Amino acid sequence: MGRIQLKSVTKSFGDVQVIPPLDLTIEDGEFTVFVGPSGCGKSTLLRLIAGLEDITSGQIEIDGADATEVPPAKRGLAMVFQSYALYPHMSVRKNIAFPLRMAKLEQAEIDSRVEGAAQVLNLTDYLDRRPGQLSGGQRQRVAIGRAIVREPAAFLFDEPLSNLDAALRVGMRLEISELHKRLKTTMIYVTHDQVEAMTMADKIVVLQAGVIEQVGSPLELYHNPRNEFVAGFIGSPKMNFIKGDEAKKHGATTVGIRPEHCDVSKSEGLWKGVVGVSEHLGSDTFIHVHETGLADMLTVRVTGDISANHGDTIFISPQTDQLHRFDAQGLRMP
Amino acid sequence: MATQHSRSAARLMMAPAVILLLGWMLVPLTMTLYFSFKKYLPLRGGDLGWVGFENYVRFVSSSAFWPAVQATLVIVGGVLLITVVLGILLAMLLDQPMWGQGVVRILVIAPFFVMPTVSALVWKNMFMDPVNGLLAHLWRFFGAEPISWLSEASMTSIIMIVSWQWLPFATLILLTAIQSLDSEQLEAAEMDGASPLNRFWHIILPHLSRAITIVILIQTIFLLSIFAEIFVTTGGAFGTRTLTYLIFQRVLESQNVGLGSAGGVYAIILANIVAIFLMRIVGKNLDA
Ligand SMILES: Nc1ncnc2c1ncn2[C@@H]1O[C@H](COP(=O)(O)OP(=O)(O)OP(=O)(O)O)[C@@H](O)[C@H]1O
Ligand SMILES: [Mg+2]
């Protein structure tokens, strides 16, 4: 069980209000990702849920019971920190067993749970090492192990993968998703990496300056962003935004078109521009197009091989049904 | 210092300092050794020739020797215990965010800047004086008979004075150690259900073990040779005669340089035994 409900929660540090009144419900078993730019209050929100920070006003309910005043240890949540926060003087075994020892479980029970967690996380060979003798990915797994042995109502992850290299990050991402499928426990995952958000989440919460911009499934956010911010934040590379006359033609203040929704031709098209940098990723090529007279730069995706050299003239035609229109307030128009 | 040339240049330039330091150590050490094998009574005939190990035998068989060793160890042990325990508590207190933190920290560190002689005199006359001392007033305020600290509780008094002097040092080292503790570790322990006491025991104390080792090692080295605090308070009476003080008495009060030098050699041996002992017990913390 792990249904978490925030009711008009606010948080201020001194005079600065970091989280304005915020309502959010996280359903039992859901994998929820908080995503947003640096400093938008993701960690703060997670720490409020964990109980490591006191909320300034509002209410937090866990499984329907008011948990606002409940100390962190009693909330039944487990947290995985960005720095892993392993206990350096304890072996991996002792690290994982620590929450169980604190809960005064029987030694036999502790042993079997630690062994179980080690098996799940491929840590069996490392149980007697110190954290200092492990690689980044192994430390991460120990931190997760320490969280899962408690069998918590929900897991809280604060950017757990940001200290890992790219390849390991992809691997751990899969392992965490796998773990979620197996345990079916509520997970709240903080990241500023929208790829992590898109690939892992059941539900994404996009935050900006402590305000929830939109809540929805990854594809919902991709196809129907509520406003310009979400449209720009979700999707990689970023959506192209065009203002001015071209937008007015569509009856909007701004129009947005994703790089993957542009047709590219060397001979004809709606918009004409000059090729800048081309980023070849193998399967796709992203071409930066300048001097279109629409925006500083447009990014377009080209699949397969295309020979577009720096300085070549190129034509872009947006797929009109994929065009997003935004009004003066930045809200998406239907 | 990669090339042969720069290495030898470096050696050459370090040489004066090394030679000076070596001389600084070796000259007194050799002289001590030299005198310890002589009968040398400056006011009673001067150099009376070689006597072999007689001084060594006499120093140990004197009835004052073992009590002096004991007094030394009691003072060192007592001060270490008090400074480490109180140092940890104070460091944790000072680590809390509070109003006037800067001033409080300076106040805590202040005793370290007071010369040993001065602080001992202040304690002797201001606090421990059985008639006019503050402690005497306090005792009388509660209707108790004032204690004449330095004669009735001489050992306790000395340990108190020396602890007061060394507490700032311990606190300072332990405070910097506590400040280097990753706060996420404490938060993780809190979420893992550790009570404040458990967090102290399982997280903070192990984190401090290295700093505690350093405090113990450094303090032991200095405490083995405390002198001024005893000289200006009890003058070695009432069972507070440490090994250092005994040597002082042999050389200057009995004017027996040979006997004192033999005592000095024993003190060196004792210091080394303690050092090896400490290294064994706590030294493994340093290379972990
Ligand atoms: N203890 C604190 N005291 C004062 N301000 C704080 C404190 N902790 C965080 N803040 C402020 O709250 C805001 C949100 O911080 P938070 O750590 O939640 O950001 P974040 O979204 O996690 O960013 P990042 O992606 O960089 O980790 C920031 O503007 C930060 O300066
Ligand atoms: Mg953060």
Side-chain angles (χ1 to χ4, degrees):
Chain A
M1 281 298 284
R3 184 173 189 271
I4 298 169
Q5 210 167 7
L6 309 186
K7 293 180 175 167
S8 35
V9 166
T10 71
K11 175 67 187 175
S12 307
F13 290 110
D15 295 337
V16 189
Q17 191 171 52
V18 177
I19 311 265
L22 178 146
D23 291 279
L24 181 65
T25 305
I26 292 154
E27 298 296 340
D28 183 33
E30 217 170 35
F31 197 119
T32 304
V33 174
F34 293 170
V35 48
S38 188
C40 68
K42 307 180 294 287
S43 301
T44 307
L45 195 55
L46 199 69
R47 293 166 58 84
L48 289 175
I49 295 172
L52 294 172
E53 302 273 2
D54 293 325
I55 60 174
T56 308
S57 70
Q59 207 181 17
I60 295 181
E61 281 182 9
I62 299 175
D63 289 331
D66 184 5
T68 316
E69 300 294 328
V70 178
K74 299 267 157 60
R75 294 192 184 191
L77 309 174
M79 183 145 167
V80 176
F81 292 83
Q82 182 175 356
S83 67
Y84 315 141
L86 300 179
Y87 311 127
H89 51 276
M90 295 183 201
S91 65
V92 168
R93 185 190 301 278
K94 288 215 172 111
N95 261 286
I96 298 178
F98 188 74
L100 304 178
R101 272 173 67 202
M102 291 300 114
K104 302 211 166 53
L105 260 62
E106 302 248 335
Q107 190 59 42
E109 170 77 8
I110 294 180
D111 287 342
S112 78
R113 282 216 216 171
V114 171
E115 297 289 342
Q119 211 125 50
V120 171
L121 295 162
N122 280 326
L123 285 169
T124 315
D125 296 340
Y126 307 106
L127 277 177
D128 294 313
R129 292 211 199 162
R130 296 271 180 98
Q133 300 163 317
L134 298 178
S135 73
Q138 289 161 348
R139 281 181 215 183
Q140 185 60 66
R141 286 207 287 267
V142 176
I144 294 173
R146 196 172 62 185
I148 62 176
V149 284
R150 293 179 52 196
E151 298 172 357
F155 291 97
L156 312 176
F157 294 91
D158 191 356
E159 308 205 19
L161 307 185
S162 55
N163 289 343
L164 304 180
D165 68 46
L168 206 51
R169 200 143 58 196
V170 174
M172 285 303 297
R173 207 162 77 195
L174 285 174
E175 281 186 38
I176 294 177
S177 296
E178 195 66 41
L179 199 67
H180 177 245
K181 296 275 180 312
R182 182 149 19 140
L183 300 177
K184 299 188 175 60
T185 311
T186 314
M187 290 190 177
I188 305 178
Y189 187 102
V190 164
T191 179
H192 57 248
D193 180 353
Q194 61 94 23
V195 178
E196 271 175 30
M198 294 294 281
T199 50
M200 301 171 85
D202 293 327
K203 179 157 100 185
I204 297 182
V205 178
V206 182
L207 289 162
Q208 187 191 16
V211 178
I212 296 183
E213 295 287 347
Q214 191 171 3
V215 179
S217 72
L219 288 182
E220 225 173 289
L221 299 196
Y222 179 81
H223 290 300
N224 301 311
R226 200 171 68 84
N227 56 26
E228 247 184 275
F229 177 79
V230 177
F233 201 82
I234 300 292
S236 166
K238 213 168 163 294
M239 182 186 278
N240 298 302
F241 290 109
I242 296 161
K243 289 187 194 302
D245 291 342
E246 186 65 31
K248 283 213 185 73
K249 269 192 232 166
H250 297 276
T253 314
T254 311
V255 290
I257 184 78
R258 295 191 186 278
E260 53 270 41
H261 297 146
C262 293
D263 295 323
V264 176
S265 159
K266 299 202 80 171
S267 49
E268 57 186 341
L270 192 58
W271 301 330
K272 184 180 167 203
V274 177
V275 175
V277 174
S278 304
E279 296 172 329
H280 301 280
L281 301 181
S283 59
D284 303 325
T285 301
F286 294 107
I287 301 177
H288 295 187
V289 181
H290 301 275
E291 295 173 37
T292 51
L294 304 165
D296 278 351
M297 185 191 85
L298 298 181
T299 314
V300 294
R301 186 184 73 172
V302 181
T303 46
D305 294 330
I306 180 170
S307 55
N309 296 318
H310 194 276
D312 285 0
T313 304
I314 202 166
F315 294 91
I316 306 169
S317 314
Q319 297 164 6
T320 27
D321 56 332
Q322 298 288 359
L323 210 61
H324 299 274
R325 304 183 305 140
F326 301 98
D327 65 15
Q329 279 75 47
L331 287 178
R332 184 166 173 274
M333 297 154 68
Chain B
M1 288 215 223
T3 66
Q4 191 84 46
H5 182 73
S6 61
R7 254 202 304 271
S8 53
R11 284 211 190 104
L12 202 67
M13 286 185 227
M14 284 193 312
V18 172
I19 290 169
L20 189 73
L21 281 175
L22 212 62
W24 211 267
M25 259 180 53
L26 281 182
V27 171
L29 188 65
T30 348
M31 281 178 72
T32 308
L33 277 172
Y34 173 78
F35 282 123
S36 68
F37 292 106
K38 293 207 122 181
K39 190 173 173 85
Y40 186 55
L41 308 166
L43 296 182
R44 286 172 282 157
D47 192 345
L48 300 175
W50 298 98
V51 290
F53 281 94
E54 196 192 303
N55 285 325
Y56 287 91
V57 177
R58 271 185 59 197
F59 193 86
V60 187
S61 49
S62 129
S63 61
F65 177 73
W66 286 110
V69 172
Q70 195 194 347
T72 310
L73 295 180
V74 168
I75 289 180
V76 171
V79 174
L80 282 181
L81 190 73
I82 292 176
T83 50
V84 169
V85 171
L86 288 185
I88 292 173
L89 294 179
L90 261 179
M92 288 200 301
L93 203 65
L94 290 180
D95 189 41
Q96 306 297 318
M98 58 178 171
W99 189 82
Q101 200 167 38
V103 178
V104 173
R105 282 188 190 170
I106 290 175
L107 282 179
V108 169
I109 291 154
F112 206 47
F113 298 126
V114 180
M115 280 178 279
T117 332
V118 176
S119 79
L121 281 174
V122 167
W123 273 90
K124 178 184 173 182
N125 297 319
M126 229 176 93
F127 290 102
M128 293 175 168
D129 190 284
V131 182
N132 296 316
L134 286 178
L135 293 177
H137 282 295
L138 190 69
W139 255 244
R140 272 198 289 269
F141 178 78
F142 287 108
E145 185 69 19
I147 304 173
S148 49
W149 286 89
L150 290 169
S151 48
E152 285 169 29
S154 49
M155 213 53 163
T156 320
S157 310
I158 302 256
I159 290 177
M160 264 167 68
I161 296 172
V162 179
S163 299
W164 181 79
Q165 275 172 21
W166 282 93
L167 187 57
F169 171 78
T171 308
L172 206 62
I173 301 247
L174 294 169
L175 178 62
T176 51
I178 281 192
Q179 283 172 338
S180 74
L181 177 60
D182 178 12
S183 64
E184 284 197 345
Q185 262 181 49
L186 287 176
E187 287 175 346
E190 194 179 344
M191 294 218 57
D192 282 345
S195 64
L197 199 66
N198 273 328
R199 263 175 272 158
F200 172 75
W201 197 250
H202 293 288
I203 312 292
I204 298 179
L205 209 56
H207 176 79
L208 287 181
S209 63
R210 194 178 289 220
I212 293 174
T213 310
I214 290 170
V215 167
I216 291 179
L217 280 175
I218 294 183
Q219 285 199 12
T220 307
I221 291 166
F222 282 92
L223 292 177
L224 278 174
S225 60
I226 51 164
F227 175 78
E229 294 85 343
I230 298 170
F231 184 72
V232 301
T233 53
T234 60
F238 312 114
T240 60
R241 183 158 52 191
T242 60
L243 204 53
T244 321
Y245 206 84
L246 183 66
I247 296 165
F248 160 77
Q249 284 186 334
R250 290 287 182 264
V251 175
L252 279 143
E253 289 175 9
S254 342
Q255 288 288 329
N256 190 338
V257 175
L259 194 59
S261 297
V265 175
Y266 279 123
I268 294 169
I269 294 170
L270 176 75
N272 277 294
I273 291 174
V274 174
I276 291 170
F277 219 47
L278 282 174
M279 288 286 192
R280 274 280 172 79
I281 299 171
V282 287
K284 64 174 191 283
N285 276 328
L286 283 177
D287 42 53

